[in-house]
């Protein structure tokens, strides 16, 4: 029953495995999921605030009948008693935890936890590095809305540099044949972190009429010291406003991993636009995570 496969990065899964997760997620939209995690123990350990990802994993685990332990890092021995991260993971495993879902502000910290845990570890976001289940739900949502992704242009807009969502989702969308663009000011586009197949663009307005789907990103201020561009300059070039909504194709979906900051990367009107598909994204997140957990425990 105890699964041993982990998901630290999106490249840990093959396209066939992802297709099978997507097919199952589609089934779970129509019928209740089986109690395939009955008797297993899942621990959710989030060293960073989270609304969507944490609750989404918890809903998925509960749908599958798992026992769910939500850990608050401030109450753990590592907070004040000097216990190391890896020793915490060893302890959780010895306590009988089968699946560890973890988020940490440092890139690589979830892999470190996973190496010590020696069970199934799922990365719910580590620093600016990776967020593989967000890549799954973004790709699932875009396939659902656009059909075949091959040749379709998907643009990520904003603070790409600090976005683990962009880093993981861009890679997966490229694997599915999409033409991926990263749009933002130079200070947020770091070629080193962006796969070479992704096209970089500065001019949002020029790109808008040519793209099939938009993924708007938050400026992730907690991941850097000082805003590298003037707020007003950023907003004037990259905020999705009414003028830019008019340049976007009538059927092009707008996604956002959340949390979205009204007035910064989007204006209020975006949330009322028929192309704004944020709610589907969140709903799909639960379906995809339910399907993933089922596959990790029951196999492919
Ligand atoms: C993101 C995250 O925390 O990586 N949100 C999410 O998990 N859905 C994006 C963000 O922080 O802006």
């Amino acid at each position: 029953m105890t699964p041993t496969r982990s998901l630290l990065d999106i490249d840990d899964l093959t396209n066939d495995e992802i297709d099978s997760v997507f097919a199952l997620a589609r089934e779970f939209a129509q019928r209740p999921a089986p109690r395939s995690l009955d008797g297993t123990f899942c621990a959710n350990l989030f060293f960073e605030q989270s609304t969507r990802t944490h609750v989404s994993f918890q809903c998925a685990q509960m749908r599958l009948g798992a026992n769910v332990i939500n850990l608050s890092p401030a109450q753990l021995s590592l907070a004040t008693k000097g216990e190391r991260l890896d020793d915490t993971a060893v302890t959780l495993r010895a306590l009988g935890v089968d699946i560890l879902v973890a988020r940490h502000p440092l890139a690589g910290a979830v892999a470190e936890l996973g190496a010590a845990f020696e069970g199934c570890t799922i990365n719910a976001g580590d620093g600016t590095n990776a967020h593989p289940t967000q890549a799954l739900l973004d790709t699932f949502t875009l396939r659902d809305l656009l059909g075949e992704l091959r040749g379709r242009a998907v643009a990520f807009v904003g603070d790409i540099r600090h976005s683990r969502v962009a880093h993981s989702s861009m890679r997966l969308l490229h694997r599915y044949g999409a033409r991926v663009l990263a749009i933002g000011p130079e200070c947020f586009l770091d070629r080193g972190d962006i796969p070479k197949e992704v096209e970089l663009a500065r001019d949002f307005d020029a790109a808008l009429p040519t793209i099939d789907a938009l993924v708007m990103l938050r400026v992730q201020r907690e991941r850097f010291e000082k805003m590298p561009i003037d707020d007003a300059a950023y907003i004037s070039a990259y905020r999705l406003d009414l003028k830019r909504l008019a340049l976007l194709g009538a059927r092009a979906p707008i996604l956002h991993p959340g949390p979205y900051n009204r007035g910064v990367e989007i204006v209020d009107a975006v949330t009322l636009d028929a192309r704004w598909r944020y709610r589907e994204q969140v709903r799909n997140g639960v379906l995809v995570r339910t399907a993933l957990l089922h596959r990790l425990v029951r196999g492919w």
Side-chain angles (χ1 to χ4, degrees):
M1 193 62 136
T2 296
T4 50
R5 276 284 291 278
S6 286
L7 177 61
L8 296 175
D9 214 334
I10 195 60
D11 292 338
D12 293 342
L13 296 174
T14 65
N15 282 20
D16 283 350
E17 286 169 337
I18 293 173
D19 282 342
S20 129
V21 167
F22 288 174
L24 195 57
R26 251 173 251 114
E27 280 182 39
F28 290 166
Q30 307 300 328
R31 64 167 170 95
R35 314 271 302 168
S36 51
L37 264 66
D38 196 18
T40 61
F41 283 80
C42 297
N44 300 320
L45 177 55
F46 281 64
F47 288 90
E48 240 184 41
Q49 285 91 345
S50 169
T51 303
R52 279 145 291 268
T53 308
H54 191 166
V55 178
S56 181
F57 267 110
Q58 200 178 330
C59 290
Q61 292 156 352
M62 293 174 102
R63 281 176 177 218
L64 294 164
N67 298 297
V68 181
I69 301 167
N70 288 307
L71 296 162
S72 151
Q75 290 167 353
L76 297 179
S77 295
L78 56 68
T80 51
K81 297 184 183 170
E83 188 167 38
R84 277 185 1 193
L85 197 61
D86 53 350
D87 291 330
T88 303
V90 167
T91 306
L92 292 174
R93 188 76 191 92
L95 284 166
V97 172
D98 303 290
I99 298 177
L100 178 63
V101 176
R103 168 173 285 191
H104 199 284
L106 290 179
V110 176
E112 194 189 318
L113 268 167
F117 182 65
E118 291 182 349
C120 168
T121 306
I122 302 178
N123 184 1
D126 64 323
T128 59
N129 181 44
H131 195 344
T133 58
Q134 183 74 37
L136 291 175
L137 78 90
D138 286 348
T139 304
F140 178 85
T141 303
L142 287 173
R143 273 173 52 123
D144 198 38
L145 295 171
L146 297 177
E148 171 64 43
L149 292 178
R150 192 154 295 282
R152 308 303 292 273
V154 181
F156 289 74
V157 184
D159 180 9
I160 316 279
R161 171 173 287 188
H162 303 101
S163 173
R164 54 195 174 211
V165 171
H167 295 146
S168 291
S169 293
M170 290 192 304
R171 283 228 303 284
L172 187 57
L173 287 162
H174 172 72
R175 274 169 58 185
Y176 274 84
R179 184 184 146 221
V180 183
L181 293 93
I183 302 176
E186 189 166 6
C187 57
F188 286 152
L189 294 181
D190 187 350
R191 186 79 265 186
D193 288 342
I194 301 175
K196 61 178 185 331
E197 303 81 6
V198 172
E199 296 166 40
L200 306 189
R202 298 276 144 66
D203 191 339
F204 189 20
D205 294 2
L208 270 165
T210 71
I211 58 191
D212 298 300
L214 264 186
V215 182
M216 300 303 298
L217 298 171
R218 183 174 69 85
V219 177
Q220 291 131 115
R221 293 175 200 263
E222 75 284 9
R223 295 183 198 150
F224 53 81
E225 298 266 303
K226 188 176 172 296
M227 182 73 170
I229 174 175
D230 180 60
D231 278 347
Y234 180 80
I235 284 172
S236 116
Y238 298 105
R239 178 166 67 187
L240 187 57
D241 57 16
L242 287 174
K243 181 173 73 47
R244 295 195 170 106
L245 276 175
L247 293 173
L248 180 67
R251 298 162 68 87
I254 305 164
L255 270 53
H256 195 309
Y260 48 87
N261 287 168
R262 292 170 183 263
V264 185
E265 70 271 17
I266 56 166
V267 295
D268 284 343
V270 171
T271 66
L272 304 172
D273 194 283
R275 292 165 290 184
W276 174 246
R277 309 311 281 261
Y278 167 78
R279 288 183 193 76
E280 276 108 306
Q281 246 182 309
V282 174
R283 276 198 290 272
N284 287 338
V286 178
L287 297 174
V288 163
R289 292 186 175 106
T290 306
L292 172 73
L293 286 164
H294 177 91
R295 286 284 178 238
L296 287 171
V297 171
R298 289 297 167 100
W300 266 266

